[in-house]
């Protein structure tokens, strides 16, 4: 079954991830005064609205992992793992190797933090899992790393997602503790949603999309302003509603994107893997050439997003033209 809205939604989610990494507020020194309007807008979009994107990636991955009529057998599990080895593990290793080479060039020829690899070269191997702060060499790829582990444990996720009481228990665990099981909570939610096709059809109705978008935008503002002062259980409960509402919004946008932005949609995985190569350098460059005003900061913010998206897509299409087989391997056959 081809679900065009999911292909489009994945592109929009990647756009949200890129917006998260365009957060210029991280590059402004503490002594500088951030313009009020620009600071509010960037924080709202990059730190709150876009925060739904990675959880929804996990959710859609779980949704697509099993078909509704699948029976969990050893043969099915082996087939799924072989498929994910090609679409997840191989790209993960190749992209991190590319970024490891760039890392070595920067730390050997330039004054870059080596994270202990200069003193202990064996630590380079650990960089494929966690170079620093939980991120591998290609830092957006932490999501793929976690997804690989979750895929290996997919029989457990399948059982939890196929039984309403078990799924409710996982949700309750999150509400009480705030632990999303390293993203597995959303993967399990995707399995549960795939089983309940009636709910998925309801989510895809126009009125649900409009209501979901409004709730997503409103809750994003509420959590931004008051989330830190709420009791944890209330905050976690609202977060679940926030993610569900964002799903309605992104699926609705995905239907439009799959037709109107088809060339960009095809480059989704490549944009995801590639953009981290120079996103921070681009942010710093733009900030240094624009005034620290509302207009200047917002111009730098949106310019960094557009440049990252278009340049990554351009590299993808150039690579696909001149090295189609390599590009196919790098994108997991997508």
């Amino acid at each position: 079954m081809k679900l065009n809205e999911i292909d489009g939604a994945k592109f929009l989610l990647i756009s949200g991830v890129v917006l998260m990494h365009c957060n210029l507020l991280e590059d402004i020194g503490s002594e500088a005064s951030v313009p009020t309007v620009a600071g509010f807008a960037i924080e709202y979009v990059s730190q709150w609205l876009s925060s739904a994107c990675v959880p929804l990636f996990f959710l859609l991955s779980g949704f697509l992992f099993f078909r509704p009529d699948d029976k969990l057998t050893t043969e099915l599990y082996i087939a799924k793992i072989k498929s994910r080895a090609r679409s997840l593990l191989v790209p993960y290793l190749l992209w991190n190797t590319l970024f490891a080479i760039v890392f070595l060039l920067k730390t050997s020829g330039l004054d870059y933090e080596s994270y202990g690899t200069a003193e202990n070269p064996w630590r380079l191997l650990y960089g494929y899992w966690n170079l620093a702060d939980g991120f591998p060499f290609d830092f957006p790829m932490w999501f793929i790393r976690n997804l690989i582990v979750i895929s290996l444990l997919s029989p457990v996720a399948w059982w939890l997602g196929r039984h309403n009481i078990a799924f409710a228990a996982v949700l309750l665990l999150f509400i009480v503790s705030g632990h999303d099981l390293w993203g597995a909570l959303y993967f399990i939610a995707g399995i549960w949603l795939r089983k309940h096709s009636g709910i998925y059809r309801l989510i895809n109705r126009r009125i649900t999309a409009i209501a979901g978008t409004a709730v997503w935008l409103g809750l994003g503002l509420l959590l931004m302003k008051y989330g830190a002062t709420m009791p944890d259980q209330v905050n976690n409960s609202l977060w679940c509603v926030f993610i569900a509402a964002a799903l309605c919004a992104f699926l609705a946008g995905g239907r439009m994107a799959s037709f109107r932005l088809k060339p960009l949609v095809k480059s989704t995985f490549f944009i995801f893997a590639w953009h981290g190569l120079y996103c921070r350098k681009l942010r710093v460059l733009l900030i240094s050439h624009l005034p620290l005003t509302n207009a200047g900061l917002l111009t730098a913010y949106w310019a960094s997003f557009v440049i990252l998206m278009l340049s990554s897509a351009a590299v993808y299409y150039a690579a696909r033209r001149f090295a189609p087989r390599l590009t196919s391997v790098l994108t997991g056959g997508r």
Side-chain angles (χ1 to χ4, degrees), residues 11-21 46 50 53 250 305:
F11 170 73
L12 296 180
L13 292 171
I14 282 298
S15 300
V17 170
V18 174
L19 277 171
M20 290 174 67
H21 299 153
S46 283
S50 296
C53 292
F250 277 98
F305 170 71

Side-chain angles (χ1 to χ4, degrees), residues 116-184:
T117 58
E119 297 78 16
N120 181 13
W122 285 104
R123 183 166 170 75
L124 287 168
L125 293 176
Y126 192 59
Y128 280 84
W129 180 264
N130 176 12
L131 177 65
D133 301 323
F135 300 108
F137 288 112
D138 188 356
F139 70 90
M141 282 285 181
W142 73 265
F143 160 74
I144 301 296
R145 176 198 65 201
N146 287 22
L147 190 56
I148 291 170
V149 176
I150 293 170
S151 298
L152 291 172
L153 299 173
S154 57
V156 178
W158 182 89
W159 189 87
L160 292 171
R162 291 296 184 99
H163 296 84
N164 291 338
I165 294 178
F167 177 55
V170 174
L171 274 180
L172 183 61
L173 173 66
F174 171 75
I175 291 171
V176 172
S177 68
H179 204 308
D180 68 358
L181 305 177
W182 300 278

Side-chain angles (χ1 to χ4, degrees), residues 18-313:
V18 174
L19 277 171
M20 290 174 67
H21 299 153
C22 291
N23 188 354
L24 304 171
L25 303 180
E26 299 174 357
D27 305 302
I28 299 175
S30 58
E31 69 281 356
S33 177
V34 178
T36 304
V37 174
F40 172 85
I42 294 172
E43 181 183 358
Y44 180 52
V45 175
S46 283
Q47 295 183 18
W48 291 99
L49 293 185
S50 296
S51 65
C53 292
V54 173
L56 288 179
F57 261 117
F58 279 115
L59 190 150
L60 293 179
S61 297
F63 183 87
L64 296 172
F65 200 89
F66 295 107
R67 293 191 297 267
D69 57 345
D70 277 344
K71 303 296 182 184
L72 188 59
T73 63
T74 302
E75 293 76 15
L76 177 65
Y77 175 72
I78 292 173
K80 294 289 185 182
I81 295 304
K82 285 182 178 179
S83 173
R84 267 52 184 187
R86 181 177 67 255
S87 63
L88 297 177
L89 179 60
V90 172
Y92 180 83
L93 294 174
L94 290 178
W95 280 106
N96 275 290
T97 298
L98 170 63
F99 275 63
I101 293 171
V102 174
F103 173 79
L104 286 172
L105 292 174
K106 291 194 301 184
T107 54
S108 60
L110 301 171
D111 187 22
Y112 275 82
E113 172 63 51
S114 67
Y115 300 106
T117 58
E119 297 78 16
N120 181 13
W122 285 104
R123 183 166 170 75
L124 287 168
L125 293 176
Y126 192 59
Y128 280 84
W129 180 264
N130 176 12
L131 177 65
D133 301 323
F135 300 108
F137 288 112
D138 188 356
F139 70 90
M141 282 285 181
W142 73 265
F143 160 74
I144 301 296
R145 176 198 65 201
N146 287 22
L147 190 56
I148 291 170
V149 176
I150 293 170
S151 298
L152 291 172
L153 299 173
S154 57
V156 178
W158 182 89
W159 189 87
L160 292 171
R162 291 296 184 99
H163 296 84
N164 291 338
I165 294 178
F167 177 55
V170 174
L171 274 180
L172 183 61
L173 173 66
F174 171 75
I175 291 171
V176 172
S177 68
H179 204 308
D180 68 358
L181 305 177
W182 300 278
L185 164 68
Y186 311 108
F187 188 91
I188 294 166
I191 294 174
W192 180 88
L193 181 61
R194 189 65 183 269
K195 179 187 176 185
H196 296 81
S197 56
I199 295 178
Y200 183 75
R201 288 194 297 270
L202 177 62
I203 287 174
N204 277 282
R205 292 178 61 182
R206 179 176 296 183
I207 185 64
T208 312
I210 295 171
T213 301
V215 172
W216 170 53
L217 296 174
L219 275 182
L221 183 60
L222 178 68
L223 291 170
M224 173 183 169
K225 298 295 289 183
Y226 304 109
T229 62
M230 292 178 181
D232 290 343
Q233 289 72 28
V234 174
N235 197 323
N236 296 339
S237 299
L238 289 176
W239 174 259
C240 293
V241 179
F242 176 72
I243 295 299
L247 176 63
C248 300
F250 277 98
L251 286 177
R255 282 192 294 276
M256 293 184 288
S258 63
F259 295 106
R260 299 182 182 180
L261 299 173
K262 197 169 185 179
L264 285 174
V265 169
K266 291 180 178 179
S267 62
T268 295
F269 188 89
F270 194 94
I271 293 174
F272 166 71
W274 175 267
H275 80 277
L277 190 62
Y278 49 88
C279 65
R280 186 174 187 279
K281 281 294 183 184
L282 178 61
R283 294 194 320 249
V284 173
L285 177 65
L286 289 170
I287 286 179
S288 66
H289 286 81
L290 289 167
L292 195 60
T293 62
N294 283 312
L297 199 57
L298 287 174
T299 299
Y301 176 64
W302 289 109
S304 65
F305 170 71
V306 172
I307 292 170
L308 282 173
M309 293 294 292
L310 294 182
S311 62
S312 298

